[in-house]
Amino acid sequence: MPLNEDQQTEIAALRQASTPTRRATVPALEEILYDALPVLDHGFVRVVDYMGDDAAVVQAARVSYGRGTKKVSEDKGLIQYLMRHRHSTPFEMCEIKFHVKLPIFVARQWIRHRTANVNEISARYSILDNEFYIPAPAQLAAQSAVNRQGRGNTLEGDDAKRVMALLREDAERAYGHYAEMLNEDETGKPVDPSRAGLARELARMNLSLNFYTQWYWKTDLHNFMNFLSLRADPHAQYEIRVYADAMLGVLDRWCPASAEAFRQYRMGGATLSSAGLAVVRRLLAGEAVTQDQSGMGKREWTELQATLGRNA
């Protein structure tokens, strides 16, 4: 299950508590504070703390020239200007902290974003839960023939059934051997007092990458949006993309003006090289341009045509 009984009790207590503060709070984010948003079969993301909002971005941007409070429409325009011109510092004034439960192989992708503070559960100290990720049938796909790190056609029939069976059998066997090597129950008492168990730091190496881990992940708004721009992209691996999609919804609640600018200029926009910009100018002038005339490589040319909604 996504949350164990102790976690559910803790979240219920946190949700019932209310603390007066002079700090800026965001009602829409307060509505889901501490709640676990389900992801995949056993995972979740939940906001456990945050600092700042859209007003903090505006305040940071205007501090250098000491301007006072402006209208909401002007604040929105300023945020869009900052996003459009890649001014990152004002967005770094806001921070957010998540508690995330995710498969280990997703965590290994995620940790490559080295712009956050992370504290992961330690299997040297704790016994990991018997929970592992099994893809939905629609996510079982063969290796792509054109993309070395992507998926191709969905597996069907006996091929899909065999893969599902192997995934489940291997995970169940791995956890069974893990528990046997530990020789201890959840309280740390020996299951079989007549034999010694293997140290947790060694027994853990038997678990496969689809087992779930948990961590706290804290980052600022600027780096949070950098993460989302890569991981909420349609080209990202499905298993990390669904986490990013859930967190994109959190961004909409937390800093709606920044989220709108992010969607418009980052998620919905495109960056062109000087060669690509030259091609666009020639097209606007009514000139027909081929790849050979563009000075661009095949991959960049194909990407530019896709961006412009044209056939390569």
Side-chain angles (χ1 to χ4, degrees):
M1 60 181 176
L3 292 166
N4 62 38
E5 188 174 340
D6 289 342
Q7 289 173 327
Q8 292 175 355
T9 301
E10 177 187 357
I11 290 172
L14 290 169
R15 292 279 298 166
Q16 290 176 1
S18 181
T19 305
T21 179
R22 289 190 174 90
R23 297 186 329 164
T25 58
V26 181
L29 190 55
E30 292 286 328
E31 288 178 2
I32 63 166
L33 192 63
Y34 307 125
D35 275 349
L37 309 176
V39 184
L40 297 179
D41 49 0
H42 299 293
F44 62 74
V45 296
R46 66 187 191 99
V47 181
V48 295
D49 203 1
Y50 69 97
M51 179 187 77
D53 54 8
D54 282 326
V57 176
V58 172
Q59 179 191 53
R62 289 187 172 136
V63 70
S64 58
Y65 27 109
R67 297 169 68 179
T69 302
K70 298 293 180 179
K71 296 178 181 178
V72 172
S73 60
E74 293 181 73
D75 288 350
K76 180 178 177 180
L78 175 56
I79 287 173
Q80 291 182 346
Y81 175 89
L82 296 171
M83 186 72 68
R84 198 163 58 243
H85 292 275
R86 296 185 292 179
H87 291 288
S88 60
T89 308
F91 296 105
E92 294 173 359
M93 298 298 109
C94 299
E95 292 195 340
I96 191 164
K97 181 165 65 174
F98 290 94
H99 176 198
V100 187
K101 183 177 181 181
L102 67 172
I104 294 172
F105 74 92
V106 176
R108 295 304 155 257
Q109 278 190 324
W110 194 314
I111 203 66
R112 293 185 61 80
H113 296 267
R114 299 183 296 274
T115 50
N117 305 112
V118 184
N119 194 46
E120 185 175 2
I121 186 174
S122 172
R124 295 183 69 193
Y125 178 79
S126 302
I127 298 176
L128 295 185
D129 294 330
N130 186 13
E131 291 184 319
F132 46 86
Y133 169 63
I134 298 295
Q139 299 307 323
L140 291 178
Q143 177 63 43
S144 170
V146 296
N147 183 350
R148 285 185 233 176
Q149 61 176 13
R151 302 176 186 180
N153 295 328
T154 302
L155 297 180
E156 297 180 351
D158 291 341
D159 289 337
K161 291 179 181 177
R162 180 57 178 156
V163 169
M164 292 287 279
L166 286 172
L167 288 171
R168 187 172 297 279
E169 288 170 10
D170 288 352
E172 290 175 347
R173 181 169 55 251
Y175 195 88
H177 290 167
Y178 169 68
E180 181 180 345
M181 288 187 288
L182 287 172
N183 190 34
E184 57 181 319
D185 61 21
E186 294 179 354
T187 66
K189 295 180 180 179
V191 175
D192 181 357
S194 67
R195 67 180 179 88
L198 186 66
R200 295 175 186 175
E201 66 179 21
L202 290 172
R204 62 179 173 170
M205 67 183 176
N206 195 51
L207 297 176
S208 54
L209 295 178
N210 64 335
F211 276 87
Y212 275 85
T213 185
Q214 298 185 40
W215 63 28
Y216 282 90
W217 189 77
K218 179 175 74 70
T219 190
D220 61 59
L221 177 57
H222 167 64
N223 286 301
F224 182 34
M225 292 188 292
N226 282 344
F227 170 84
L228 294 176
S229 68
L230 290 172
R231 300 308 183 177
D233 185 274
H235 298 95
Q237 182 172 343
Y238 168 79
E239 282 79 11
I240 196 169
R241 191 171 73 243
V242 289
Y243 282 90
D245 288 343
M247 296 165 87
L248 193 55
V250 170
L251 176 62
D252 289 332
R253 287 175 172 271
W254 178 29
C255 299
S258 297
E260 181 181 347
F262 172 68
R263 289 178 183 274
Q264 181 174 352
Y265 298 109
R266 294 283 299 278
M267 296 290 288
T271 300
L272 300 180
S273 66
S274 58
L277 184 58
V279 168
V280 171
R281 285 171 173 160
R282 292 169 67 181
L283 292 173
L284 289 173
E287 186 179 345
V289 186
T290 66
Q291 181 195 336
D292 292 339
Q293 297 169 331
S294 71
M296 302 172 71
K298 182 178 179 180
R299 175 172 290 185
E300 186 181 2
W301 175 259
T302 301
E303 291 172 353
L304 175 62
Q305 299 309 301
T307 298
L308 299 178
R310 298 159 58 98
N311 294 324

